[in-house]
Amino acid sequence: MADIITRDGTWSFDGETVRIVPGGKVHPVRQDLGELAVPLRAVAGVSFEPDRKGGRLRLRLRSGACPVLRAADGRLKDASDPYQLAVEKDRAGVAEYLVDEIRNALLIEQVPDGPVDHFLLPGPQVPVSGGGGDGTASFDGRTVRLVWNWKAEGSKTAGGTVSLPLSEVTGVRWVPAIGLENGSLRFDRAGAVASAPAKFDPYSLELWGLSKREHTAVLVAAAVLARMPAPGGAPDREAAPAALPQAAPAADDHDVLLRRLRELGELHAAGILTDEEFSTAKQAVLKRL
């Protein structure tokens, strides 16, 4: 087991899975997405970029493996990217060790770094909601709902809440607000691509970029993408069972996790881990139990 614990979060690697747990004060996108279990076969590479403050870990996924990255289409800022971790200077050596362990596993398992034809991660859990600007979008696994606020155009509020069954969604596009340009979360229906500005389109949220919370609209887009049928009629992911409750860990897994809790307690008592680091790491282990 190789792991690193920072204020920004915790990454651990057991030879098969990179487990990512966000810290308590990270960007809302990472907070709402929560803990991620990234299978090794979804990883294209990993790097540590040192700087004067410490550095940054970056996990590079194979193209098409993650619904969030597909929905974001390269538009996530560093702070909101779940596959980046800010590292303090005194953790640089641990970060480099973790990189070596993941790289060695990729070589041993001969994992290709090319694109995949289906999602290898299940995407955000449902129900999920997000957005801002002139309304809020939510998705429960079956229906997308757009609820307008008092700042929405009269044509939108006059029509009331929009309910759009997943079966009618043929595309979803998320663009964040950049500078003076407003962003949007758009849902296409029956192959028709909306041409009206998001401000007037009843199947679009307009995003103004006035708060970090608006970026959580990307999680709604990702959840919808992960559950949309592929052109062949099957869900565009291998992870259909991943939406089901996970089986309880085996007995030996419990023993490993309990030993890990004891180790963390000893490190905390010895002053190696701060109170915040110990709390973050303990919560990660308790979630796996």
Side-chain angles (χ1 to χ4, degrees):
M1 172 74 78
D3 57 13
I4 181 170
I5 303 169
T6 75
R7 289 189 293 270
D8 199 35
T10 299
W11 285 18
S12 60
F13 179 61
D14 62 5
E16 297 179 352
T17 304
V18 180
R19 195 168 295 276
I20 298 173
V21 181
K25 298 180 180 179
V26 297
H27 193 282
V29 169
R30 293 173 58 193
Q31 285 181 340
D32 290 1
L33 189 57
E35 181 176 342
L36 296 173
V38 184
L40 185 64
R41 59 198 173 92
V43 178
V46 62
S47 63
F48 175 62
E49 303 168 0
D51 58 34
R52 61 185 181 84
K53 293 183 179 180
R56 184 172 294 274
L57 272 170
R58 296 181 188 268
L59 192 67
R60 184 167 59 88
L61 269 57
R62 298 171 65 187
S63 178
C66 174
V68 175
L69 295 186
R70 180 178 291 185
D73 195 23
R75 300 184 181 97
L76 283 180
K77 296 181 179 180
D78 285 356
S80 60
D81 188 339
Y83 303 109
Q84 296 190 30
L85 183 73
V87 177
E88 294 90 351
K89 187 175 294 186
D90 62 349
R91 294 289 189 271
V94 181
E96 291 172 347
Y97 174 72
L98 180 65
V99 166
D100 288 341
E101 289 293 297
I102 296 175
R103 286 178 176 172
N104 289 338
L106 289 171
L107 287 173
I108 292 172
E109 297 298 330
Q110 297 183 335
V111 177
D113 61 1
V116 296
D117 58 5
H118 57 266
F119 293 132
L120 300 180
L121 282 86
Q125 296 183 356
V126 293
V128 61
S129 65
D134 63 356
T136 302
S138 64
F139 178 57
D140 61 6
R142 296 181 179 181
T143 305
V144 174
R145 288 184 172 82
L146 302 177
V147 180
W148 313 116
N149 59 33
W150 64 272
K151 294 173 280 189
E153 278 294 307
S155 59
K156 285 185 173 181
T157 56
T161 298
V162 172
S163 294
L164 185 60
L166 179 63
S167 59
E168 296 182 11
V169 178
T170 57
V172 55
R173 294 166 288 153
W174 174 77
V175 179
I178 301 175
L180 298 178
E181 291 287 331
N182 289 344
S184 62
L185 174 65
R186 292 179 176 268
F187 296 94
D188 299 329
R189 300 173 302 124
V193 178
S195 57
K199 181 177 182 178
F200 302 103
D201 180 10
Y203 298 99
S204 300
L205 283 186
E206 189 177 35
L207 305 175
W208 301 334
L210 300 179
S211 72
K212 292 180 179 179
R213 291 294 315 174
E214 283 193 25
H215 281 69
T216 55
V218 72
L219 300 182
V220 180
V224 171
L225 281 176
R227 291 161 180 83
M228 284 178 60
D236 186 17
R237 58 193 173 113
E238 186 182 71
L244 301 175
Q246 296 182 351
D252 55 343
D253 293 333
H254 277 88
D255 292 341
V256 171
L257 295 175
L258 289 173
R259 284 199 299 273
R260 182 61 178 152
L261 280 175
R262 286 195 293 271
E263 292 170 359
L264 290 171
E266 293 169 358
L267 292 172
H268 182 240
I272 298 174
L273 293 180
T274 66
D275 291 344
E276 183 177 0
E277 291 170 339
F278 173 65
S279 177
T280 299
K282 182 175 71 172
Q283 289 302 317
V285 175
L286 291 175
K287 284 183 179 179
R288 295 179 64 184
L289 277 170

